[in-house]
Structure formats: structure tokens, C-alpha cells
């Protein structure tokens, strides 16, 4: 006889581990769910609350080290319809377990930049910054994030080439860093994690940057070129204002360039805020996710929180509460129009495009590098890759005690949004059609509310997990069916 008191806890435990994103792999020019084989189209937001200044390695603080903040923001981003965030600056020694687990539970992937303001490739003198100390830092980021299922990819560098002059000496060093990261991941990670580059939208060098980084520099069809990018991000702000179109923005030119890409290409930043002072309409979303642009893999809107550059979707108030901006409403409305079935369908022709062999003929601008000789690793790097860094901080997914957000969230109309919580997902989060972001609660001055301290899991033990009432009901109903079948 099967006893409900025994089967229900077992099912709850099983469900607790199943509520998670599946790892992502690269197939041709697409990101693919490794389990369902659905295409993963990035519907995302760049996430760095507090801006670059919020990263403080002296106190082990970064955007993914505070579980209370991550729970608040994961609920907001989930409501928006996001399935991916990009995080620019992380501390490899900080504990990210709770934040990563919260975003995983919410069905949200993470793309992590391995560099920091203090340690990155110096575009003015790349050889001086390509050191063992630098590699130790970026390998530490890999160690910290490799075990999270929702770690989607790593950016090896961001906008190192931003004009023709920097396109002369830097490209070989970008390939060197990608090679080293890929070798380290292959040696020390239980799964492949893609590595790529985030480029500035500087049209005179854009096509050459992509061509240089995606080409195959290994002789023979069976060789693996560890230095080539596994994806290519583009920081593009060319669609500006309500009158912009697919043609006037230059999106048609981007598709012409990337249509036959052998690797995924996506907007690693987008969302022009010109003209100043107006809420962004995000009408480029309908083009970016349309049939004519399916050669790209979506994009990440810049950015989650309002900083000095005036790109925010939300305001983070002094007391930690969050107020949604009209930009949030407009983006949510655009996301709700997307055909998610179309976006999740793989294209058979997009998985078999072979990369071209690296050759000077790929480069169209005479000032851009045609040197495909990847710099040798600095002394000690090979041993570091072989043995691994000393005392790595290996992250792990943990359980989350409560998914309820206790910090007040206010809609763009000023009213409080009631019962904010992260909804546990069994797969990636997608736009739900929800349009309640203006807030239905009592209108309150955001700065006057005092947020409560949210309950969070012990990142060391990971004890317990709570489910929404609907999900708990499903588990109970399922267990009763099992019991009836047993009889």
C-alpha cells in the first residue's frame, strides 16, 4: 500500500529539483534547450542595479550577491516577460548561490561578463593586460557560475574594439581570451558553456569584427578552433524614436550581414533613449522578433534600473522599493505581442552553416587586423588551465525558502502592486500577456514605504522550498492519481 504521507514529500522534493531551467547549447546560429530541443530566443534585460559603481570587490558585493534584492527584481523581470539577464561585473569570490537559484526558479537565464572595471583587456595596450593574474580572475568567474543550470554563456570581452584604430591590434587578443576560457571550461566544467564577444555597433568595423571572430582558424574539417567565438553580441542603438523603421534603423543591413552566420548573433544591448525626456516605445521589438529577423537570436534591453545614463525600466528608490517606469509598461506591451511558438521553433537551415576558414579576404577594411595568429598564453597559463585555479569558489543551486516579495513594488501610476512573488517555472520564462504593471493597490509615495526584510534560504544548507498554492495543488492532485493507480 502506498501511503500519502510518504509519497507526497517525495513528490515535493522531486518537484523542487525539477523546477529549473534546462542548460543551453549552441547549434549553428541558434541557442537550443538541451532537453526540449526548443530554440531559446533571448528576451532579455541588462541587469546591473546601481551601475558599475555597485560592484565592490572589497566587500564581496555585486548584482548577484544579495538574495533579497534578487528576489525583488526576479519577480519584476518575470512579470515583464524576460527569460535572460546579462550581468556585467561579478566578484568571483562572492556567494551567488541564492540569487542564481532565484533566477533559475523564475525561469531566467544569466549571461555573465567575466571582466571587471579593474581587470579586462586594455584596448590601448592589449599585451600588457593579458597576464596570468588576469586569467586567474576570469577563470574564477567560470568556477563561480559553471554549476548553475541557468548560466547560459560567458562574455569574454565587451566593446574592446570601438574604432578602426583599436581594430588593428586587439582582435588576436580577444581570440586568445576566448581560447583560454574555452579550454578551462572544457577541463573543469561538467558541461559546455558558450563563450563569445559583445561588440560596439560601429558600422565601419562591425562586419569585420564578426567575420574575424567567427571564422575557423584550424586546418581540416574535424579540427576544433577553441579561439573562435561561439556567439556574437551586438550593442546596437540605431532604432531611435517613434518614426524609426526596419530600413531607417539599419536593421535590414544587419540582417544582410548576419543572415548566414555560423554562430548565434543577438543584441547584447539595445533600446535607444533619444529623443531625451520621452518614454521609450520599444517598437523595434516587433521587428527584432519577426520572421524577417529570425536569423538573430533576440536581444537584451539596456537596462533594468535607472542610472545616470537614463535607460532605466524601473527606479530603485533609496529605501530599496521599486517603482516601474512608463518604459517598463511599453516594453511589457511589446513583449506581450510576441509569437512565442514561432520564436521557440528551430530552423533546420540555421543549424548546419559551417564557418568560413580564416583568411585576409574576409576582412573588408584595410585598417582592420588580418593577423589570425593567436598570441601564446602567458607563462604559467597552461598549468593554470590544467590544474585549475587555487581554492575555487564553486557555486551551486540551492532551495529558496520563500518566493514572496515583501519589498513594496509600485506601478508606473504610483499604486502598489499587490502580492508580488516569483512563480516557480519548469522551463524558461516567457511573456504571459499580463498588463498589471501600473499597480492596483493604494497609491503611495514610493519613498515613504519601508520595505520588510524578505525571508531567504540559507545559501549554505539550502533548506526547504515553498510553492505557490496552484503548484502545491497540482502536486497533491498528481499524488492522489498515483495512489489510485496503485490500488
Amino acid at each position: 500500500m502506498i501511503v500519502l504521507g510518504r509519497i507526497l514529500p517525495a513528490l515535493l522534493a522531486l518537484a523542487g529539483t525539477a523546477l529549473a531551467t534546462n542548460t543551453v547549447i549552441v547549434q549553428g546560429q541558434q541557442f537550443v534547450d538541451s532537453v526540449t530541443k526548443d530554440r531559446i530566443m533571448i528576451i532579455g534585460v541588462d541587469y546591473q542595479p546601481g551601475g558599475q559603481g555597485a560592484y565592490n570587490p572589497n566587500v564581496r558585493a555585486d548584482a548577484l550577491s544579495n538574495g533579497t534584492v534578487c528576489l525583488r527584481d526576479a519577480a519584476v523581470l518575470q512579470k515583464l516577460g524576460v527569460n535572460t539577464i546579462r550581468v556585467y561585473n561579478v566578484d568571483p569570490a562572492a556567494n551567488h548561490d541564492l540569487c542564481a537559484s532565484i533566477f533559475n526558479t523564475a525561469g531566467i537565464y544569466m549571461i555573465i561578463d567575466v571582466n571587471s572595471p579593474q581587470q579586462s583587456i586594455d584596448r590601448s595596450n592589449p599585451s600588457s593586460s593579458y597576464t596570468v593574474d588576469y586569467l586567474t580572475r576570469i577563470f574564477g568567474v567560470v568556477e563561480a557560475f559553471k554549476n548553475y543550470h541557468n548560466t547560459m554563456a560567458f562574455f569574454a570581452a565587451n566593446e574592446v574594439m570601438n574604432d578602426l584604430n583599436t581594430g588593428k591590434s586587439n582582435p588576436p587578443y580577444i581570440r586568445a581570451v576566448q581560447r583560454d576560457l574555452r579550454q578551462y571550461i572544457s577541463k573543469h566544467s561538467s558541461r559546455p558553456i558558450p563563450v563569445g564577444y559583445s561588440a560596439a555597433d560601429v558600422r565601419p568595423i562591425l562586419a569585420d569584427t564578426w567575420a574575424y571572430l567567427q571564422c575557423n582558424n584550424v586546418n581540416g574539417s574535424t579540427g576544433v578552433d577553441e579561439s573562435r567565438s561561439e556567439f556574437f553580441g551586438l550593442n546596437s542603438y540605431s532604432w531611435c524614436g517613434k518614426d524609426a523603421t526596419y530600413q531607417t534603423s539599419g536593421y535590414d543591413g544587419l540582417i544582410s550581414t548576419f543572415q548566414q552566420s555560423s554562430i548565434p548573433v543577438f543584441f547584447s544591448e539595445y533600446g535607444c533613449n533619444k529623443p531625451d525626456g520621452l518614454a521609450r516605445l520599444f517598437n523595434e521589438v516587433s521587428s527584432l522578433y519577426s520572421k524577417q529577423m529570425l536569423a538573430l537570436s533576440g536581444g537584451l534591453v539596456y537596462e533594468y534600473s535607472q542610472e545616470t545614463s537614463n535607460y532605466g525600466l524601473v527606479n530603485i528608490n533609496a529605501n530599496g522599493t521599486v517603482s516601474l517606469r512608463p518604459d517598463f509598461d511599453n516594453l511589457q506591451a511589446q513583449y506581450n505581442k510576441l509569437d512565442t511558438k514561432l520564436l521557440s521553433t528551430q530552423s533546420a537551415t540555421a543549424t548546419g552553416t559551417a564557418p568560413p576558414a580564416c583568411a585576409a579576404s574576409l576582412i573588408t577594411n584595410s585598417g582592420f587586423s588580418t593577423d589570425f595568429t593567436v598570441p601564446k598564453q602567458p607563462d604559467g597559463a597552461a598549468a593554470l588551465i590544467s590544474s585549475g585555479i587555487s581554492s575555487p569558489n564553486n557555486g551551486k543551486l540551492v532551495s529558496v525558502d520563500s518566493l514572496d516579495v515583501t519589498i513594496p513594488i509600485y506601478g508606473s501610476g504610483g499604486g502598489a502592486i499587490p502580492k508580488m512573488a516569483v512563480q516557480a517555472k519548469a522551463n524558461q520564462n516567457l511573456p504571459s500577456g499580463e498588463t498589471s504593471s501600473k499597480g492596483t493597490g493604494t497609491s503611495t509615495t514610493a519613498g515613504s514605504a519601508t520595505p520588510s526584510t524578505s525571508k531567504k534560504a540559507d545559501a549554505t544548507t539550502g533548506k526547504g522550498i515553498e510553492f505557490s498554492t496552484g503548484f502545491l495543488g497540482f502536486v497533491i492532485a498528481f499524488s492522489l492519481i498515483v495512489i489510485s493507480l496503485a490500488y
Side-chain angles (χ1 to χ4, degrees):
M1 178 182 296
I2 299 177
V3 181
L4 178 60
R6 294 177 180 176
I7 190 171
L8 183 55
L11 286 171
L12 283 169
L14 178 62
T17 59
L19 288 176
T21 57
N22 299 319
T23 58
V24 171
I25 57 176
V26 169
Q27 292 185 347
Q29 62 178 221
Q30 299 179 139
F31 292 110
V32 175
D33 185 309
S34 62
V35 176
T36 68
K37 307 306 179 184
D38 289 337
R39 182 179 186 181
I40 301 294
M41 186 69 77
I42 294 173
I43 306 171
V45 169
D46 296 307
Y47 180 75
Q48 193 75 29
Q52 183 171 295
Y55 167 71
N56 187 350
N58 295 323
V59 295
R60 297 289 178 250
D62 60 34
L64 296 174
S65 61
N66 186 319
T68 302
V69 170
C70 289
L71 184 65
R72 175 198 70 188
D73 296 340
V76 172
L77 288 163
Q78 188 180 58
K79 183 183 288 287
L80 178 61
V82 161
N83 68 2
T84 310
I85 57 173
R86 175 189 183 180
V87 185
Y88 292 86
N89 302 306
V90 296
D91 185 341
N95 189 321
H96 306 104
D97 290 350
L98 186 54
C99 281
S101 301
I102 288 168
F103 281 111
N104 181 63
T105 301
I108 296 175
Y109 290 101
M110 305 180 299
I111 302 177
I112 305 295
D113 285 64
V114 299
N115 297 288
S116 74
Q118 294 78 27
Q119 290 180 287
S120 62
I121 292 297
D122 181 355
R123 64 166 66 98
S124 65
N125 187 5
S127 63
S128 68
S129 52
Y130 181 53
T131 65
V132 168
D133 285 344
Y134 168 68
L135 294 180
T136 300
R137 197 270 176 202
I138 65 176
F139 295 161
V141 175
V142 171
E143 291 284 2
F145 286 88
K146 68 182 183 180
N147 294 331
Y148 304 137
H149 294 170
N150 57 327
T151 296
M152 183 177 186
F154 292 112
F155 273 122
N158 177 70
E159 295 191 1
V160 175
M161 287 85 78
N162 61 0
D163 56 23
L164 184 57
N165 186 55
T166 53
K168 294 177 181 178
S169 58
N170 284 287
Y173 284 92
I174 300 305
R175 290 194 69 125
V177 174
Q178 291 181 158
R179 172 200 61 198
D180 301 344
L181 282 167
R182 292 182 63 179
Q183 286 183 359
Y184 195 91
I185 290 168
S186 177
K187 182 75 174 178
H188 299 284
S189 174
S190 62
R191 65 179 177 98
I193 306 173
V195 173
Y197 177 70
S198 179
D201 189 1
V202 179
R203 296 300 166 97
I205 65 169
L206 177 59
D208 287 342
T209 302
W210 163 73
Y212 185 98
L213 292 175
Q214 75 139 358
C215 68
N216 185 7
N217 204 23
V218 173
N219 294 326
S221 58
T222 59
V224 176
D225 182 0
E226 293 175 319
S227 73
R228 71 185 291 260
S229 295
E230 294 177 279
F231 62 88
F232 187 80
L234 172 61
N235 298 338
S236 179
Y237 297 89
S238 62
W239 188 302
C240 295
K242 63 182 181 64
D243 296 324
T245 67
Y246 178 71
Q247 287 77 25
T248 63
S249 65
Y251 277 26
D252 57 344
L254 294 177
I255 285 298
S256 177
T257 298
F258 299 123
Q259 187 73 48
Q260 300 303 317
S261 178
S262 63
I263 57 177
V265 178
F266 61 94
F267 287 167
S268 40
E269 295 176 7
Y270 77 96
C272 177
N273 64 355
K274 307 298 182 185
D276 293 326
L278 299 177
R280 292 177 288 176
L281 300 177
F282 293 108
N283 48 0
E284 68 265 49
V285 166
S286 60
S287 285
L288 178 57
Y289 296 95
S290 67
K291 289 183 179 180
Q292 64 186 348
M293 293 191 72
L294 286 181
L296 300 189
S297 292
L300 297 134
V301 168
Y302 192 84
E303 65 182 318
Y304 176 69
S305 55
Q306 178 74 342
E307 311 296 341
T308 56
S309 56
N310 194 35
Y311 282 93
L313 299 174
V314 309
N315 289 321
I316 299 178
N317 304 307
N319 61 1
T321 62
V322 165
S323 299
L324 309 185
R325 295 166 58 85
D327 300 58
F328 182 101
D329 298 341
N330 294 339
L331 182 57
Q332 184 185 56
Q334 294 289 347
Y335 281 165
N336 284 340
K337 299 175 186 177
L338 299 182
D339 182 348
T340 55
K341 184 176 181 180
L342 169 68
L343 300 182
S344 65
T345 302
Q346 281 202 59
S347 170
T349 60
T351 59
T353 304
C358 292
S361 59
L362 295 175
I363 307 303
T364 60
N365 196 313
S366 61
F368 197 88
S369 177
T370 56
D371 179 7
F372 292 97
T373 301
V374 180
K376 293 182 179 180
Q377 293 172 337
D379 291 342
L384 192 65
I385 291 172
S386 177
S387 301
I389 64 172
S390 177
S391 304
N393 172 34
N394 295 137
K396 63 182 182 299
L397 292 174
V398 298
S399 298
V400 184
D401 284 345
S402 176
L403 301 179
D404 295 327
V405 177
T406 58
I407 299 174
I409 310 295
Y410 301 96
S412 59
I417 301 176
K419 299 180 180 179
M420 286 289 290
V422 167
Q423 302 300 314
K425 298 283 185 177
N427 209 325
Q428 63 167 318
N429 186 59
L430 290 170
S432 65
E434 184 173 348
T435 57
S436 60
S437 64
K438 290 185 181 298
T440 58
T442 303
S443 180
T444 308
T445 302
S448 66
T450 302
S452 302
T453 303
S454 67
K455 183 182 178 184
K456 59 184 180 180
D458 183 331
T460 302
T461 62
K463 295 178 180 178
I465 186 166
E466 295 182 8
F467 302 96
S468 65
T469 304
F471 182 77
L472 182 58
F474 164 79
V475 173
I476 294 173
F478 180 77
S479 64
L480 292 174
I481 292 172
V482 172
I483 292 170
S484 66
L485 290 175
Y487 281 109

